[in-house]
Amino acid sequence: MVAFGTTRVAVDNSAGLSVDFHGVSHQYDLDGQPLPVLRQIDLAVAPGEFVALLGPSGCGKSTLLRLAAGLERPSSGEVLANGTIVARPDPSRVLVFQDPTLFPWRTVRDNVAIGPEARGVLPGSQKRIDGALRLVKLEAFASAFPHQLSGGMAQRAALARALINDPRLLLLDEPLGRLDSLTRLTMQEELLALWRQAEYTVILVTHDVEEALLLSGRVIVLTERPARIKAEVAVDLPYPRRRDDPRIVAQRQHILEILGFSA
Amino acid sequence: MSAAIDEDAGEKSVSSASAGPVWKHGLYAASAWLLAAIVTIAFPDVVPWGSRDVFVALLVAGAMILAGLAFSVEKLGRFGRGLMHYGPWLIVLGLWFAVWELITAKLGWMPKPFFTPPHGLLHVYIVDWQRILICIAYTARLWTIGFFSGIIVGFIGGVALGWSKNFAYWGMPVLKLIGPVPASAWIPATFFLFPTTFQASLFLVALASGIPVAILTASGVNSVNRSFYDVARTLGASSRYLVLRVAIPAALPHVFVGLFMGLYYSFAVLVVAEMLGAKYGLGWYLQFQTAYSAYANVYAMLIVMALLCSGLVKLLFVARDRLLGWQKGVVQW
C-alpha cells in the first residue's frame, strides 16, 4: 500500500477488495418512465486487479461504479465486496469522478482532509494529508483554492482526496476525460505508478481504448444502453507498456472491431 | 516626477493630481472650504439659524488641515492614497457648502421652513444631540434584536426547507404564500396581536429580514451540486456532516443574497414601525419633528440614518468578502 508519513494501516486491512456483480440490472426513473441502464451484468474482479470498463458514452458504465461505491442499490441482482453485499458508501471503496468535484470553498489541503474529517480522525491525520499532497505533487498548492488550479492539478487533488483514505477499491469514472492530451499522458503514468506501489483494486471507466490497454489487466467491453457485457479482453503484458508496442496496436484494433469500428 | 509627465497625466486620471510633491487637489479643496467660510461669515443671514460661528470655525479648521495635508499626504501611506482619491469630492464639497449657504441663508431663495443652510443642520446636532443619541440607541436595540432573530430563524428554517422533503412539503407553500406580502402590510394586524408596540415592531423587523433569508437559503441548499454529496458520502460523511460541511457552505453565496435583501427590507419596515406608536427611535424622531415643522431636525436625522444604514451594508459586504473569498473567479457580483 501507499504509506503516508509514518502511519500505516495494518497490512491485512489494506489489501485490495474483490468485487462481484451477480446478475446486476439497474434502471432509473425518468419522468415516470423506467430507463433501463444495466442488464444482467455478471463480473468478478479479483483483489488487486486493474479492470477497465469500455463502452459507448451514456451506456451505463458510471452506474456500475456508483453501485460498487454503494451510492445506489441495484434494481435487481447484487453487488458484493469481499463477499459482503454493498449496501452503503464506505471510505474503503472510493469513487473519483470525471469532474474533480473539489469543494470550491475549501483549499486543496482542506479538500484532501475531507475523508479524515468526516470520519472524525482529522487531528491525527496531518502527516498523512501532507503525504497525500506530496504523492500527487501538490504540496506547493496546499493553500490554493480550486479555482486557482489547472484541470490536471484539480484532478490530482481529487485523487489525493481519494487515496488518503487507504481505499481497498478505487473506482475511477473517466478521471482523465477532461484533461488535455499531454496532461493525460502524465496522469496515466502517475495512476499506474500509484496502483503498482499500492495493493488496491481498480475499476476504471473510460472510452479511450488505448488508455484501457495501457493501464488495465483486463478490458470489459460493454454494449449500448442498457449495457450488457459484450466481450472481455485480457491484456497480459508487462508494465510499463508502450503505446506503439505491436501487441497493444493489435489489441486496440481488435477492441475497436468489437465496438463496431472496422479499420 | 517631471513636469511633462504631470501635464499629460492630468487628463488621464483623478489621482494624477498627486504626481508632484504638492497635492494640488488638496490646495484647491482648502481654498473651496475657505471660500465657504468667507461666504458664511461675510454676509448676514436672512433669519438666524444659530451655530453659524461654529460652522465657520469648522470650515476654517478643515481648510487648514487640507492645506497641511497638501504637503504631507504622500507620507501617509494607505490613508493618504484614499484621501487623494477623494480629492475632487473634497473640492466639490467646499463649493457646495458655499452655494448652499448662498441660496438658503444669504439670499433666501429656498422656501424658508423647508430648507436649511448647513450651519442650521450643525445647530441641530449641537442642540439636540442627546435626544438623537437616545433615538439611535432605541432604534439600534429594535433593529439588532429584530434583524438577528429574523435571520437566525430564517437561516435555520431555510436549511430545513432545502434539506428535508417533509419540511419542504409543508413549509414551502406557506413561505411562498406569505413571502411576497410586504412586511408593512402586517402592521395593522401585529399591533393588536402583540401586547406591546415594541414586540410588534420586533416581529415586523424579524419578518422582513427573515423571509428573504429563508427563501434564498432554501434555494441555495436545494441547488447544491449533487456530486458534492456523493463525494462526501463515499468518503464516510454522516448526514450531519453533509448538512453542516457540504450543504451550508455550498449555499452560502445564496444566503448572502438573502441577507442583503433582508437588510434593506429591515431598514424599510423599521422606520415605518417606529412611526406608529413608538416612544423613541429614528422613525419616531422624523415623525415628531415633521409635526413641529422642524425640517432642519428631519434633515439632520436623515443624514444620521444614511450613515448608519450604509455603515451596516458596508459591514455585511466585509463579512461576505471574508466568508466568500473562495468565490473570486467563480462568481462575480
Side-chain angles (χ1 to χ4, degrees):
Chain A
M1 63 152 283
V2 193
F4 299 109
T6 52
T7 37
R8 266 184 79 107
V9 177
V11 173
D12 59 333
N13 202 21
S14 65
L17 285 175
S18 68
V19 186
D20 294 284
F21 296 87
H22 285 314
V24 169
S25 298
H26 197 63
Q27 59 187 40
Y28 287 112
D29 193 54
L30 197 72
D31 298 329
Q33 296 288 319
L35 177 77
V37 283
L38 297 175
R39 182 166 295 169
Q40 286 294 319
I41 301 283
D42 284 295
L43 175 66
V45 181
E49 198 180 354
F50 196 133
V51 171
L53 300 177
L54 199 64
S57 59
C59 79
K61 300 171 298 223
S62 302
T63 305
L64 263 178
L65 292 195
R66 291 179 66 84
L67 295 177
L71 287 170
E72 283 167 54
R73 299 289 300 271
S75 305
S76 67
E78 52 193 21
V79 183
L80 305 173
N82 264 14
T84 319
I85 289 183
V86 173
R88 65 182 65 82
D90 187 275
S92 67
R93 295 175 263 112
V94 185
L95 182 52
V96 178
F97 296 84
Q98 178 171 21
D99 291 314
T101 53
L102 298 173
F103 293 4
W105 59 91
R106 284 175 169 242
T107 60
V108 168
R109 185 169 220 286
D110 290 346
N111 263 286
V112 174
I114 290 172
E117 185 186 84
R119 283 177 287 126
V121 297
L122 186 58
S125 302
Q126 300 307 323
K127 277 187 177 167
R128 295 171 54 79
I129 296 169
D130 292 332
L133 287 169
R134 219 175 307 122
L135 193 71
V136 296
K137 304 183 188 78
L138 280 179
E139 59 269 49
F141 293 88
S143 54
F145 280 100
H147 71 82
Q148 298 168 305
L149 302 182
S150 70
M153 283 154 75
Q155 199 53 269
R156 290 213 302 270
L159 206 57
R161 180 172 67 180
L163 292 176
I164 193 165
N165 302 289
D166 281 337
R168 301 170 65 193
L169 170 64
L170 192 58
L171 301 159
L172 302 173
D173 190 357
E174 292 183 44
L176 314 181
R178 297 265 166 97
L179 302 181
D180 64 89
S181 53
L182 284 176
T183 315
R184 204 180 159 117
L185 295 183
T186 327
M187 287 287 290
Q188 284 172 355
E189 277 169 24
E190 286 174 18
L191 266 184
L192 198 59
L194 288 171
W195 170 68
R196 290 181 71 196
Q197 37 175 310
E199 291 168 11
Y200 46 72
T201 312
V202 180
I203 304 180
L204 167 75
V205 159
T206 178
H207 48 228
D208 180 341
V209 180
E210 199 176 71
E211 182 171 284
L213 288 170
L214 284 173
L215 299 179
S216 74
R218 186 154 56 115
V219 181
I220 314 289
V221 184
L222 298 168
T223 63
E224 297 271 352
R225 192 185 62 233
R228 282 172 295 104
I229 293 179
K230 195 173 192 177
E232 268 193 48
V233 179
V235 190
D236 206 3
L237 297 170
Y239 298 102
R241 297 171 183 165
R242 293 171 53 92
R243 58 203 79 237
D244 54 0
D245 184 324
R247 290 168 295 183
I248 295 275
V249 174
Q251 281 196 316
R252 181 168 173 273
Q253 208 53 47
H254 175 55
I255 290 174
L256 282 175
E257 274 163 25
I258 295 172
L259 285 168
F261 299 94
S262 44
Chain B
M1 285 282 143
S2 72
I5 289 174
D6 205 352
E7 259 173 40
D8 81 281
E11 296 272 328
K12 282 180 197 153
S13 78
V14 169
S15 60
S16 63
S18 67
V22 179
W23 177 40
K24 283 186 194 162
H25 285 160
L27 285 181
Y28 297 153
S31 328
W33 286 48
L34 206 59
L35 174 73
I38 291 166
V39 166
T40 310
I41 196 87
F43 303 101
D45 289 1
V46 284
V47 282
W49 267 278
S51 300
R52 190 180 75 160
D53 297 342
V54 184
F55 183 61
V56 171
L58 286 176
L59 283 176
V60 172
M64 280 161 65
I65 293 171
L66 284 168
L69 282 169
F71 297 96
S72 61
V73 77
E74 299 263 283
K75 302 182 192 91
L76 293 177
R78 241 186 92 193
F79 170 74
R81 279 195 298 278
L83 205 63
M84 284 194 278
H85 177 74
Y86 286 107
W89 269 96
L90 292 168
I91 300 171
V92 169
L93 202 63
L95 294 176
W96 166 238
F97 278 141
V99 172
W100 187 2
E101 279 289 344
L102 273 178
I103 60 175
T104 53
K106 310 306 173 189
L107 300 170
W109 287 354
M110 307 303 281
K112 161 72 178 68
F114 305 108
F115 293 91
T116 311
H119 62 270
L121 295 185
L122 184 65
H123 190 63
V124 172
Y125 295 126
I126 289 172
V127 174
D128 211 16
W129 63 272
Q130 278 176 313
R131 190 153 49 169
I132 292 176
L133 278 187
I134 292 173
C135 285
I136 291 175
Y138 268 78
T139 301
R141 181 181 64 155
L142 172 57
W143 180 83
T144 310
I145 304 176
F147 180 75
F148 284 100
S149 53
I151 61 169
I152 290 168
V153 172
F155 176 72
I156 295 171
V159 171
L161 287 168
W163 183 258
S164 150
K165 286 206 169 69
N166 280 329
F167 242 90
Y169 176 80
W170 295 106
M172 259 342 228
V174 177
L175 192 61
K176 279 182 182 161
L177 193 67
I178 290 176
V181 179
S184 48
W186 290 89
I187 287 176
T190 47
F191 276 76
F192 64 78
L193 282 176
F194 286 89
T196 68
T197 46
F198 181 67
Q199 288 168 358
S201 310
L202 267 188
F203 172 78
L204 288 170
V205 173
L207 187 76
S209 40
I211 283 184
V213 174
I215 292 175
L216 277 142
T217 305
S219 89
V221 171
N222 237 322
S223 59
V224 173
N225 184 350
R226 301 282 130 186
S227 315
F228 288 160
Y229 295 134
D230 286 346
V231 166
R233 284 172 65 209
T234 61
L235 298 176
S238 61
S239 307
R240 190 186 140 84
Y241 188 94
L242 293 183
V243 176
L244 296 180
R245 298 299 176 88
V246 184
I248 289 178
L252 221 48
H254 282 81
V255 176
F256 265 92
V257 176
L259 283 174
F260 277 104
M261 291 169 66
L263 191 60
Y264 282 105
Y265 292 156
S266 77
F267 295 152
V269 77
L270 178 75
V271 174
V272 178
E274 279 181 339
M275 284 181 174
L276 303 162
K279 243 213 244 115
Y280 276 109
L282 306 181
W284 169 84
Y285 190 91
L286 292 179
Q287 182 90 336
F288 178 83
Q289 300 294 1
T290 312
Y292 284 90
S293 296
Y295 291 101
N297 297 60
V298 173
Y299 294 129
M301 186 51 101
L302 282 176
I303 292 173
V304 170
M305 287 175 66
L307 292 175
L308 288 176
C309 295
S310 58
L312 288 170
V313 170
K314 173 77 186 167
L315 261 178
L316 189 57
F317 267 107
V318 170
R320 187 203 69 175
D321 291 344
R322 281 249 163 141
L323 282 167
L324 299 182
W326 55 267
Q327 274 199 316
K328 275 178 203 140
V330 180
V331 184
Q332 299 278 322
W333 44 288

